[in-house]
Amino acid sequence: KANLYKDLCEAIDDNNSLDICLVNDMRQCQEDDVSLFVYLVPDIYTNFQKAAIGNVDLLYLVVSCVDGQQIQTIVSHILARDFIMFKKDSFQPVITVSLTWETFEQYALWQLLQSHEIPVDCILPLIPRLNYDKHAETLTHFMHLLRREKPSAELVKHLMSRDPTQSDRFV
């Protein structure tokens, strides 16, 4: 299936890579029928892993159109290990890009991220870059992740590297 789709993308336009073609087609599907789009998400991430996992544009399509029930459905598939949307090396870049997204998209993203059991060492380098006033959604989820962690020198180093504001309650 994947090879046939890749061949079709190349036949349509030699300049389009598989990931661009996939995002364009899924965007059209999302605009036409959100339910079908959500139904296809597990298959897309299963059959096109290299093009889908870590693809921020595709991920944004997902988080920008889902409702609570649809997020629950996707999370259920992830928890059942039907497919994955992230790998260890994709957590940081995705979270960094998401800092500019609207609140709902960020909360939807965090539902997906948490269903993948994020290793804390993947997020530690992001802590110093986060601003209490500008990145409330991410800091809130970091607090949830970190509250179960035993203090370590590495954790304290990243926490103390932040530039807190007067109202900052994170550190």
Side-chain angles (χ1 to χ4, degrees):
K1 294 179 206 178
N3 286 334
L4 181 62
Y5 181 76
K6 184 178 180 181
D7 292 344
L8 176 65
C9 289
E10 288 174 359
I12 292 171
D13 187 352
D14 285 336
N15 296 326
N16 276 351
S17 62
L18 178 60
D19 56 332
I20 291 171
C21 196
L22 194 58
V23 168
N24 289 339
D25 289 342
M26 290 302 287
R27 181 177 292 116
Q28 189 62 52
C29 181
Q30 178 215 40
E31 290 171 5
D32 293 343
D33 187 344
V34 173
S35 295
L36 176 61
F37 173 82
V38 171
Y39 176 80
L40 290 173
V41 166
D43 288 330
I44 295 300
Y45 278 89
T46 300
N47 294 313
F48 302 100
Q49 287 187 12
K50 287 183 181 175
I53 295 173
N55 185 327
V56 178
D57 294 325
L58 180 61
L59 182 60
Y60 185 77
L61 288 177
V62 175
V63 299
S64 66
C65 75
V66 292
D67 61 23
Q69 187 175 23
Q70 291 164 330
I71 269 289
Q72 178 186 21
T73 299
I74 294 170
V75 166
S76 297
H77 280 289
I78 294 167
L79 292 175
R81 303 204 188 286
D82 294 337
F83 73 101
I84 61 169
M85 296 178 81
F86 308 98
K87 290 187 177 175
K88 188 175 181 174
D89 63 340
S90 67
F91 287 122
Q92 235 182 75
V94 166
I95 293 169
T96 300
V97 170
S98 77
L99 296 175
T100 62
W101 295 352
E102 295 295 324
T103 295
F104 180 80
E105 283 87 357
Q106 288 190 52
Y107 277 113
L109 170 67
W110 278 100
Q111 294 297 316
L112 299 173
L113 287 167
Q114 288 179 322
S115 64
H116 283 78
E117 300 176 15
I118 306 169
V120 171
D121 63 317
C122 289
I123 65 161
L124 289 180
L126 293 173
I127 291 174
R129 297 188 225 161
L130 300 176
N131 179 288
Y132 189 78
D133 297 320
K134 295 178 184 173
H135 307 123
E137 300 87 354
T138 302
L139 283 171
T140 299
H141 287 284
F142 276 21
M143 285 190 281
H144 284 291
L145 289 171
L146 295 175
R147 72 181 177 158
R148 294 183 187 97
E149 288 298 307
K150 290 185 178 184
S152 67
E154 189 70 12
L155 173 59
V156 172
K157 177 183 99 174
H158 289 288
L159 289 173
M160 299 312 289
S161 297
R162 290 188 68 247
D163 258 343
T165 60
Q166 188 170 3
S167 61
D168 195 333
R169 304 274 302 156
F170 186 75
V171 177

